[in-house]
Amino acid sequence: MLSLLCWSCNDDGLVGIENATEVHTKLSEYTIFQGKLSDLEPTNNFKVYELSTELFSDYAEKQRLIKIPEGHTLISRNDGLPDFPEGTILVKTFYYYNDKRDHTKGRKIIETRLLIKENARWNVATYIWNESQDDAFLITTGLDKTVNWIDAKGEGKVIAYRIPSHRECTSCHYNSNTIFPIGPKLRNLNKDVLRNGIVINQLTHLYNEGIINEVEPSSISVLPAWQDAAKYTVAQRTRAYLDIQCAHCHNPLGMASDRGLNLSYETDLNHTDIPDNKRRIIERMETLEMPFIGTTVVHAEGLELVKAYMESL
């Protein structure tokens, strides 16, 4: 076990927050996966969840899991983040298919990130997978890893993928001097998923799995899927995209609160300061100044969407 100490206020603009618990040095010690670890087959205690709109991470694929202590559930309060009981573990594993056109050609697992709620606080741990893909090991300083893969169009890609340091993790998950999850807001979980061959609302499925208290999906708003041009307008898709990519920092309590932008989806456009920063937002996306952390290549599809929206304002 290792205790991670990381304090606020650093010259590189990152915010560090001390872990309140010790974390394991090897991912396998958490018993998240059963059988061959690289199969990413979760044990019965860890349940898969999906997001309507997810954070862009250099085109990496992601598996998301959640573990709730026995006898407890998530408690919904509104359509934002639920209340997470002590002992909750959120798991996010990043990987690339060797050839996205043919998943049978295997994949390369890069890292697994954990958010662990212990001692009434969220604690952060990042694990890098070894070359043999049979375990992952705790890192704190962050590093770049060269990844090669073939994308869905058959084009070969090479990327210097960034595995974040402890301070990089805490900076994105920072709000009002504490750490918090970003993705699993109820509105971002309120979507249909395929489970056991049946299409079911995810909130209903999570209730059936004992993960969350009973929630009526129709009473919860829906965060638009930014890729779904058939169902949502450019404005809806862009605001959802900016919410997930940027609003964890660009909100009144986030790391970039002094910038004046409030990019949360629920914020009325007139209170976001988006119209006065249209050109600046595009320029920062084009030059990788935004997001500040987490990407090393421009998200071409996301940038195209944001440009279309800004031009409509």
Side-chain angles (χ1 to χ4, degrees), residues 1 18-24 30 67 69 84-89 115-124:
M1 302 282 283
E18 178 185 4
N19 270 351
T21 188
E22 292 187 334
V23 295
H24 292 300
Y30 288 98
K67 177 184 178 182
F84 296 87
E86 182 83 358
T88 298
I89 301 178
L115 279 175
I116 305 167
K117 191 171 185 183
E118 287 188 10
N119 298 317
R121 286 177 51 182
W122 286 103
N123 303 273
V124 175

Side-chain angles (χ1 to χ4, degrees), residues 97-292:
Y97 289 111
N98 294 325
D99 188 337
K100 194 166 183 178
R101 301 167 302 174
D102 184 357
H103 295 180
T104 65
K105 292 184 178 180
R107 62 189 169 193
K108 180 72 170 180
I109 309 172
I110 309 301
E111 60 162 322
T112 294
R113 303 177 192 173
L114 304 185
L115 279 175
I116 305 167
K117 191 171 185 183
E118 287 188 10
N119 298 317
R121 286 177 51 182
W122 286 103
N123 303 273
V124 175
T126 300
Y127 296 83
I128 180 172
W129 284 69
N130 59 16
E131 290 301 317
S132 56
Q133 301 277 273
D134 57 11
D135 213 337
F137 298 86
L138 182 71
I139 64 169
T140 60
T141 57
L143 57 88
D144 297 327
K145 187 175 181 64
T146 301
V147 181
N148 298 269
W149 85 100
I150 298 173
D151 69 13
K153 298 178 181 179
E155 298 179 0
K157 299 291 184 180
V158 181
I159 195 168
Y161 181 90
R162 176 67 181 175
I163 301 174
S165 68
H166 184 73
R167 286 191 296 114
E168 287 172 311
C169 285
T170 55
S171 293
C172 277
H173 288 270
Y174 171 88
N175 189 288
S176 192
N177 295 315
T178 190
I179 301 298
F180 71 108
I182 296 173
K185 299 180 177 71
L186 263 66
R187 60 177 172 267
N188 207 10
L189 297 171
N190 192 9
K191 58 171 292 185
D192 287 341
V193 295
L194 183 65
R195 297 291 183 265
N196 302 316
I198 299 172
V199 176
I200 184 172
N201 179 274
Q202 183 168 227
L203 293 177
T204 301
H205 172 72
L206 292 175
Y207 168 71
N208 293 341
E209 291 286 324
I211 298 297
I212 193 170
N213 66 301
E214 189 169 12
V215 178
E216 173 51 53
S218 63
S219 69
I220 303 296
S221 66
V222 175
L223 187 72
W226 76 266
Q227 307 99 318
D228 193 346
K231 189 173 182 180
Y232 300 106
T233 66
V234 169
Q236 291 172 321
R237 292 162 55 213
T238 304
R239 289 298 307 277
Y241 181 86
L242 292 175
D243 178 275
I244 293 300
Q245 311 302 323
C246 313
H248 46 276
C249 288
H250 288 283
N251 71 79
L253 299 175
M255 190 178 74
S257 59
D258 60 335
R259 304 300 175 89
L261 281 172
N262 185 349
L263 299 180
S264 300
Y265 183 79
E266 65 271 23
T267 303
D268 183 87
L269 176 62
N270 294 325
H271 296 105
T272 63
D273 213 22
I274 289 175
D276 291 334
N277 286 274
K278 294 187 296 183
R279 187 177 301 277
R280 181 60 176 153
I281 290 172
I282 292 173
E283 288 174 351
R284 296 198 70 195
M285 289 182 66
E286 289 175 331
T287 58
L288 288 177
E289 293 181 61
M290 191 172 78
F292 177 54

Side-chain angles (χ1 to χ4, degrees), residues 7 9 14 72-73 87 114 124 136 152 174 253:
W7 304 94
C9 301
L14 300 178
H72 297 271
T73 66
L114 304 185
V124 175
Y174 171 88
L253 299 175

